[in-house]
Amino acid sequence: MAVSRSAPVHLSPTPADRPVYVIGAGPGGLAVAQALRARGVRAVVLEKSAAVGASWRRHYDRLHLHTTRRLSALPGLAMPRKFGRWVSRENVVRYLEKYAEHHELEIVTGVEVHRVERTEDGTGWLLRASGGRELTGSAVVVATGYNHTPHLPDWPGREGYEGELLHAGAYRDAGPYRGRDVLVVGIGNTGAEIAVDLVEGGAARVRLAVRTVPHILRRSTLGWASQYSGVLVRRLPVRLVDRLAGPLARLSTPDLSAHGLPRPDTGLCSRARQGAIPVQDVGLIDAVRAGSVEIVAAVEGFEDGKVVLADGDRIAPDAVIAATGYVRALEGLVGHLGVLDERGRPVVHGARTSARAPGLYFTGFTNPISGMLRELAIDAGRIGRAVAKALRAR
């Protein structure tokens, strides 16, 4: 059994043929595996791709963390100072590879789990996986990721649109769009950053289609990272945080109403609780003020080779990049167990398990303003303690 070098070795409470299976070798899955091994619990990570950190390998080249290096490290291994304050996508991948190696995690790649079921005797879990595999575990941690499956809206006329249309998940850099007219759909962090990347990469025209105006925050103000504020207020009442965030936003970010981005009329924390994370400014504010990123109405559909906007305008960009988010895609895996809400999200996460599925845990399916990687690290410790306690109580 491989054990974390940094943790004491304990007698494992899991039978040799019934390890705890962790589905997904991203940050959440790796952190949970380390936390379990630190408590003497055998954890086997199952990853459908060929390497750890698959989703990070697919992200666009420009991407850097919006959370600080120190508050983005996983338990048991700091991120190197040479990575800088805002860690690049490439260095996140390097870190995850090093993390798995450092803690000698047991990872099996090329195995995709299709369905999780209770064993016939009700004492464990049966995982049905690729290649006809049937794996039996004492507990299961689902860590398949917040950004799992690209979501492309079923816009009217989309199927017949012959122009270039791609999801942001397929975007790598601005090279193919130099000198071209590009429409980016969606003003989440991905859409905002891709728009800036296109401008800096030489696109002739960049428009950003916005349906709901976001809260926009400076990533850092006078050295104070916005993540710090997110950590400080994470346990405060939502209404109080909303009330505090308004004046602070007016002080730190300019009014962009004249450019098509008025200040939101709903609170920052209220929005975040609904899944709409604030946009961290990495150049968008300046690009909008300069007119190099033009704000336009939301996309309603496609007609006669043109993009139809919500205000009635019809435009004909050379390319459309849909930064329209991802879905968790958990329905086939665990939907039959009654552990998902009406939007397909786990009803519990972290150390809690549903009464309908004791021993089934979820991590990485929330996107908190205090930083996803930070919360994944906290969740990992809690899950490790909960699983070890439950196994020893059997």
Side-chain angles (χ1 to χ4, degrees), residues 339-379:
V339 294
L340 303 179
D341 65 16
E342 66 281 357
R343 295 174 61 184
R345 302 171 303 182
V347 295
V348 296
H349 69 276
R352 295 181 296 146
T353 62
S354 169
R356 296 181 176 182
L360 178 64
Y361 301 83
F362 296 88
T363 185
F365 296 98
T366 60
N367 197 5
I369 59 176
S370 51
M372 181 179 284
L373 290 175
R374 178 181 182 274
E375 297 303 319
L376 285 176
I378 294 172
D379 266 359

Short mmCIF file of all heavy atoms in Angstrom, two decimals, residues 339-379:
data_model
loop_
_atom_site.label_atom_id
_atom_site.label_comp_id
_atom_site.label_asym_id
_atom_site.label_seq_id
_atom_site.Cartn_x
_atom_site.Cartn_y
_atom_site.Cartn_z
N VAL A 339 -29.53 11.51 -5.17
CA VAL A 339 -28.59 12.38 -4.46
C VAL A 339 -28.35 13.69 -5.20
O VAL A 339 -27.46 14.46 -4.82
CB VAL A 339 -27.25 11.66 -4.22
CG1 VAL A 339 -27.44 10.49 -3.28
CG2 VAL A 339 -26.64 11.19 -5.54
N LEU A 340 -29.13 13.96 -6.26
CA LEU A 340 -28.97 15.19 -7.03
C LEU A 340 -30.23 16.04 -6.93
O LEU A 340 -31.34 15.52 -6.79
CB LEU A 340 -28.70 14.86 -8.50
CG LEU A 340 -27.50 13.96 -8.81
CD1 LEU A 340 -27.41 13.72 -10.32
CD2 LEU A 340 -26.20 14.56 -8.29
N ASP A 341 -30.05 17.37 -7.01
CA ASP A 341 -31.20 18.25 -7.00
C ASP A 341 -31.73 18.42 -8.42
O ASP A 341 -31.27 17.77 -9.36
CB ASP A 341 -30.86 19.59 -6.34
CG ASP A 341 -29.82 20.41 -7.12
OD1 ASP A 341 -29.57 20.10 -8.31
OD2 ASP A 341 -29.27 21.36 -6.54
N GLU A 342 -32.71 19.33 -8.58
CA GLU A 342 -33.36 19.48 -9.88
C GLU A 342 -32.43 20.03 -10.94
O GLU A 342 -32.69 19.92 -12.14
CB GLU A 342 -34.59 20.39 -9.74
CG GLU A 342 -34.30 21.84 -9.37
CD GLU A 342 -34.01 22.04 -7.88
OE1 GLU A 342 -34.11 21.04 -7.12
OE2 GLU A 342 -33.71 23.17 -7.48
N ARG A 343 -31.29 20.62 -10.53
CA ARG A 343 -30.32 21.15 -11.49
C ARG A 343 -29.15 20.19 -11.69
O ARG A 343 -28.17 20.55 -12.34
CB ARG A 343 -29.81 22.51 -11.01
CG ARG A 343 -30.90 23.58 -10.98
CD ARG A 343 -30.42 24.88 -10.37
NE ARG A 343 -29.30 25.46 -11.11
CZ ARG A 343 -28.66 26.56 -10.72
NH1 ARG A 343 -28.99 27.17 -9.59
NH2 ARG A 343 -27.67 27.04 -11.44
N GLY A 344 -29.24 19.00 -11.15
CA GLY A 344 -28.19 18.01 -11.34
C GLY A 344 -26.99 18.18 -10.43
O GLY A 344 -25.93 17.60 -10.68
N ARG A 345 -27.15 18.93 -9.34
CA ARG A 345 -26.06 19.16 -8.41
C ARG A 345 -26.22 18.26 -7.19
O ARG A 345 -27.35 17.98 -6.77
CB ARG A 345 -26.04 20.62 -7.96
CG ARG A 345 -25.90 21.63 -9.09
CD ARG A 345 -26.10 23.05 -8.58
NE ARG A 345 -27.40 23.20 -7.93
CZ ARG A 345 -27.85 24.34 -7.43
NH1 ARG A 345 -27.10 25.43 -7.51
NH2 ARG A 345 -29.04 24.41 -6.85
N PRO A 346 -25.13 17.81 -6.58
CA PRO A 346 -25.25 16.99 -5.37
C PRO A 346 -26.00 17.74 -4.27
O PRO A 346 -25.76 18.94 -4.06
CB PRO A 346 -23.80 16.73 -4.98
CG PRO A 346 -23.02 16.89 -6.24
CD PRO A 346 -23.71 17.97 -6.99
N VAL A 347 -26.88 17.05 -3.57
CA VAL A 347 -27.63 17.70 -2.49
C VAL A 347 -26.77 17.86 -1.24
O VAL A 347 -27.10 18.64 -0.35
CB VAL A 347 -28.92 16.91 -2.17
CG1 VAL A 347 -29.87 16.94 -3.35
CG2 VAL A 347 -28.59 15.47 -1.78
N VAL A 348 -25.70 17.09 -1.15
CA VAL A 348 -24.75 17.24 -0.05
C VAL A 348 -23.34 17.27 -0.64
O VAL A 348 -23.12 16.84 -1.78
CB VAL A 348 -24.84 16.08 0.97
CG1 VAL A 348 -26.19 16.06 1.65
CG2 VAL A 348 -24.55 14.73 0.30
N HIS A 349 -22.39 17.80 0.10
CA HIS A 349 -21.00 17.77 -0.36
C HIS A 349 -20.08 17.75 0.86
O HIS A 349 -20.51 17.93 1.99
CB HIS A 349 -20.70 18.97 -1.26
CG HIS A 349 -20.68 20.29 -0.53
ND1 HIS A 349 -21.82 21.01 -0.28
CD2 HIS A 349 -19.66 21.01 0.00
CE1 HIS A 349 -21.52 22.11 0.36
NE2 HIS A 349 -20.21 22.13 0.56
N GLY A 350 -18.82 17.53 0.60
CA GLY A 350 -17.85 17.48 1.69
C GLY A 350 -18.04 16.24 2.54
O GLY A 350 -18.25 15.13 2.03
N ALA A 351 -17.98 16.41 3.85
CA ALA A 351 -18.00 15.27 4.77
C ALA A 351 -19.39 14.69 4.97
O ALA A 351 -19.54 13.62 5.58
CB ALA A 351 -17.44 15.70 6.13
N ARG A 352 -20.43 15.36 4.47
CA ARG A 352 -21.79 14.86 4.65
C ARG A 352 -22.15 13.86 3.55
O ARG A 352 -21.70 13.99 2.42
CB ARG A 352 -22.79 16.01 4.65
CG ARG A 352 -22.62 16.97 5.83
CD ARG A 352 -23.66 18.07 5.76
NE ARG A 352 -23.48 18.89 4.57
CZ ARG A 352 -24.48 19.45 3.89
NH1 ARG A 352 -25.72 19.24 4.25
NH2 ARG A 352 -24.23 20.21 2.83
N THR A 353 -22.95 12.90 3.90
CA THR A 353 -23.48 11.97 2.90
C THR A 353 -25.00 11.95 3.04
O THR A 353 -25.55 12.21 4.10
CB THR A 353 -22.93 10.54 3.06
OG1 THR A 353 -23.32 10.02 4.34
CG2 THR A 353 -21.42 10.52 2.95
N SER A 354 -25.67 11.62 1.94
CA SER A 354 -27.12 11.55 1.95
C SER A 354 -27.58 10.30 2.70
O SER A 354 -26.92 9.25 2.64
CB SER A 354 -27.64 11.50 0.51
OG SER A 354 -29.01 11.18 0.48
N ALA A 355 -28.70 10.41 3.39
CA ALA A 355 -29.26 9.25 4.07
C ALA A 355 -29.61 8.15 3.08
O ALA A 355 -29.64 6.96 3.43
CB ALA A 355 -30.50 9.66 4.86
N ARG A 356 -29.84 8.54 1.82
CA ARG A 356 -30.15 7.56 0.79
C ARG A 356 -28.91 6.83 0.30
O ARG A 356 -29.02 5.77 -0.32
CB ARG A 356 -30.82 8.25 -0.40
CG ARG A 356 -32.17 8.87 -0.09
CD ARG A 356 -32.75 9.51 -1.34
NE ARG A 356 -34.08 10.04 -1.13
CZ ARG A 356 -34.82 10.61 -2.06
NH1 ARG A 356 -34.33 10.72 -3.30
NH2 ARG A 356 -36.01 11.08 -1.78
N ALA A 357 -27.74 7.42 0.53
CA ALA A 357 -26.50 6.83 -0.01
C ALA A 357 -25.36 7.02 0.97
O ALA A 357 -24.39 7.73 0.68
CB ALA A 357 -26.18 7.45 -1.36
N PRO A 358 -25.41 6.42 2.14
CA PRO A 358 -24.31 6.56 3.10
C PRO A 358 -23.02 5.99 2.54
O PRO A 358 -23.02 4.91 1.94
CB PRO A 358 -24.80 5.76 4.31
CG PRO A 358 -25.82 4.81 3.76
CD PRO A 358 -26.48 5.53 2.64
N GLY A 359 -21.94 6.73 2.70
CA GLY A 359 -20.66 6.28 2.16
C GLY A 359 -20.36 6.81 0.78
O GLY A 359 -19.33 6.47 0.19
N LEU A 360 -21.24 7.68 0.24
CA LEU A 360 -21.02 8.30 -1.06
C LEU A 360 -20.80 9.80 -0.83
O LEU A 360 -21.69 10.50 -0.33
CB LEU A 360 -22.22 8.08 -1.97
CG LEU A 360 -22.15 8.72 -3.37
CD1 LEU A 360 -21.03 8.11 -4.20
CD2 LEU A 360 -23.49 8.56 -4.10
N TYR A 361 -19.62 10.28 -1.21
CA TYR A 361 -19.22 11.66 -0.92
C TYR A 361 -18.99 12.42 -2.24
O TYR A 361 -18.65 11.84 -3.26
CB TYR A 361 -17.93 11.68 -0.10
CG TYR A 361 -18.05 10.97 1.23
CD1 TYR A 361 -17.89 9.58 1.31
CD2 TYR A 361 -18.31 11.66 2.40
CE1 TYR A 361 -18.00 8.91 2.53
CE2 TYR A 361 -18.41 11.01 3.63
CZ TYR A 361 -18.26 9.64 3.68
OH TYR A 361 -18.36 8.98 4.89
N PHE A 362 -19.12 13.75 -2.16
CA PHE A 362 -18.91 14.62 -3.32
C PHE A 362 -17.99 15.77 -2.93
O PHE A 362 -18.13 16.35 -1.85
CB PHE A 362 -20.23 15.19 -3.83
CG PHE A 362 -21.20 14.17 -4.34
CD1 PHE A 362 -22.09 13.54 -3.48
CD2 PHE A 362 -21.22 13.82 -5.69
CE1 PHE A 362 -22.99 12.59 -3.95
CE2 PHE A 362 -22.11 12.88 -6.17
CZ PHE A 362 -23.00 12.26 -5.29
N THR A 363 -17.08 16.11 -3.82
CA THR A 363 -16.23 17.27 -3.59
C THR A 363 -15.98 17.99 -4.91
O THR A 363 -15.87 17.36 -5.96
CB THR A 363 -14.89 16.87 -2.95
OG1 THR A 363 -14.15 18.06 -2.63
CG2 THR A 363 -14.05 15.99 -3.85
N GLY A 364 -15.92 19.32 -4.84
CA GLY A 364 -15.60 20.11 -6.03
C GLY A 364 -16.78 20.54 -6.85
O GLY A 364 -16.61 20.94 -8.01
N PHE A 365 -17.99 20.50 -6.28
CA PHE A 365 -19.17 20.85 -7.06
C PHE A 365 -19.79 22.18 -6.62
O PHE A 365 -20.94 22.47 -6.94
CB PHE A 365 -20.20 19.72 -7.01
CG PHE A 365 -19.69 18.46 -7.65
CD1 PHE A 365 -19.16 17.44 -6.89
CD2 PHE A 365 -19.69 18.32 -9.03
CE1 PHE A 365 -18.66 16.29 -7.47
CE2 PHE A 365 -19.18 17.18 -9.63
CZ PHE A 365 -18.66 16.16 -8.85
N THR A 366 -19.03 22.96 -5.88
CA THR A 366 -19.43 24.32 -5.56
C THR A 366 -18.31 25.24 -6.04
O THR A 366 -17.19 24.79 -6.27
CB THR A 366 -19.64 24.50 -4.05
OG1 THR A 366 -18.41 24.19 -3.35
CG2 THR A 366 -20.74 23.58 -3.53
N ASN A 367 -18.63 26.52 -6.18
CA ASN A 367 -17.63 27.48 -6.66
C ASN A 367 -17.64 28.69 -5.74
O ASN A 367 -18.16 29.75 -6.10
CB ASN A 367 -17.94 27.87 -8.11
CG ASN A 367 -16.74 28.51 -8.79
OD1 ASN A 367 -15.65 28.58 -8.24
ND2 ASN A 367 -16.94 29.00 -10.00
N PRO A 368 -17.09 28.58 -4.55
CA PRO A 368 -17.20 29.62 -3.53
C PRO A 368 -16.32 30.84 -3.82
O PRO A 368 -15.30 30.74 -4.49
CB PRO A 368 -16.73 28.91 -2.25
CG PRO A 368 -15.78 27.87 -2.74
CD PRO A 368 -16.33 27.41 -4.06
N ILE A 369 -16.73 32.00 -3.30
CA ILE A 369 -15.96 33.22 -3.52
C ILE A 369 -14.65 33.20 -2.74
O ILE A 369 -13.77 34.02 -3.01
CB ILE A 369 -16.79 34.48 -3.15
CG1 ILE A 369 -17.22 34.43 -1.68
CG2 ILE A 369 -17.99 34.62 -4.06
CD1 ILE A 369 -17.95 35.68 -1.22
N SER A 370 -14.51 32.28 -1.81
CA SER A 370 -13.26 32.16 -1.06
C SER A 370 -12.20 31.36 -1.81
O SER A 370 -11.07 31.21 -1.33
CB SER A 370 -13.53 31.51 0.31
OG SER A 370 -14.27 30.32 0.15
N GLY A 371 -12.54 30.82 -2.98
CA GLY A 371 -11.57 30.10 -3.81
C GLY A 371 -11.83 28.61 -3.83
O GLY A 371 -11.86 27.96 -2.78
N MET A 372 -12.01 28.06 -5.03
CA MET A 372 -12.34 26.64 -5.14
C MET A 372 -11.24 25.74 -4.61
O MET A 372 -11.50 24.78 -3.88
CB MET A 372 -12.67 26.26 -6.59
CG MET A 372 -13.03 24.80 -6.76
SD MET A 372 -13.45 24.33 -8.45
CE MET A 372 -15.09 25.02 -8.57
N LEU A 373 -9.98 26.01 -4.97
CA LEU A 373 -8.90 25.14 -4.53
C LEU A 373 -8.76 25.16 -3.01
O LEU A 373 -8.49 24.13 -2.39
CB LEU A 373 -7.59 25.55 -5.20
CG LEU A 373 -7.51 25.25 -6.70
CD1 LEU A 373 -6.22 25.80 -7.30
CD2 LEU A 373 -7.62 23.76 -6.99
N ARG A 374 -8.93 26.32 -2.42
CA ARG A 374 -8.87 26.41 -0.96
C ARG A 374 -9.96 25.56 -0.33
O ARG A 374 -9.71 24.83 0.65
CB ARG A 374 -9.03 27.87 -0.52
CG ARG A 374 -9.02 28.06 1.00
CD ARG A 374 -9.21 29.51 1.38
NE ARG A 374 -9.15 29.68 2.82
CZ ARG A 374 -10.19 29.54 3.63
NH1 ARG A 374 -11.38 29.22 3.12
NH2 ARG A 374 -10.05 29.70 4.94
N GLU A 375 -11.17 25.64 -0.85
CA GLU A 375 -12.27 24.87 -0.29
C GLU A 375 -12.11 23.38 -0.56
O GLU A 375 -12.50 22.55 0.27
CB GLU A 375 -13.60 25.38 -0.85
CG GLU A 375 -13.91 26.82 -0.47
CD GLU A 375 -13.93 27.06 1.03
OE1 GLU A 375 -14.45 26.20 1.77
OE2 GLU A 375 -13.41 28.10 1.47
N LEU A 376 -11.53 23.02 -1.70
CA LEU A 376 -11.26 21.61 -1.98
C LEU A 376 -10.30 21.04 -0.94
O LEU A 376 -10.46 19.91 -0.48
CB LEU A 376 -10.65 21.45 -3.37
CG LEU A 376 -11.58 21.58 -4.58
CD1 LEU A 376 -10.77 21.49 -5.87
CD2 LEU A 376 -12.65 20.51 -4.55
N ALA A 377 -9.29 21.83 -0.58
CA ALA A 377 -8.32 21.39 0.42
C ALA A 377 -8.99 21.18 1.77
O ALA A 377 -8.71 20.20 2.48
CB ALA A 377 -7.19 22.41 0.54
N ILE A 378 -9.87 22.08 2.14
CA ILE A 378 -10.59 21.95 3.42
C ILE A 378 -11.51 20.74 3.39
O ILE A 378 -11.57 19.95 4.33
CB ILE A 378 -11.37 23.24 3.72
CG1 ILE A 378 -10.40 24.40 3.96
CG2 ILE A 378 -12.29 23.05 4.92
CD1 ILE A 378 -11.07 25.75 4.07
N ASP A 379 -12.25 20.61 2.28
CA ASP A 379 -13.15 19.46 2.12
C ASP A 379 -12.41 18.14 2.22
O ASP A 379 -12.93 17.16 2.79
CB ASP A 379 -13.86 19.53 0.76
CG ASP A 379 -15.22 20.21 0.84
OD1 ASP A 379 -15.61 20.61 1.96
OD2 ASP A 379 -15.87 20.35 -0.20
#
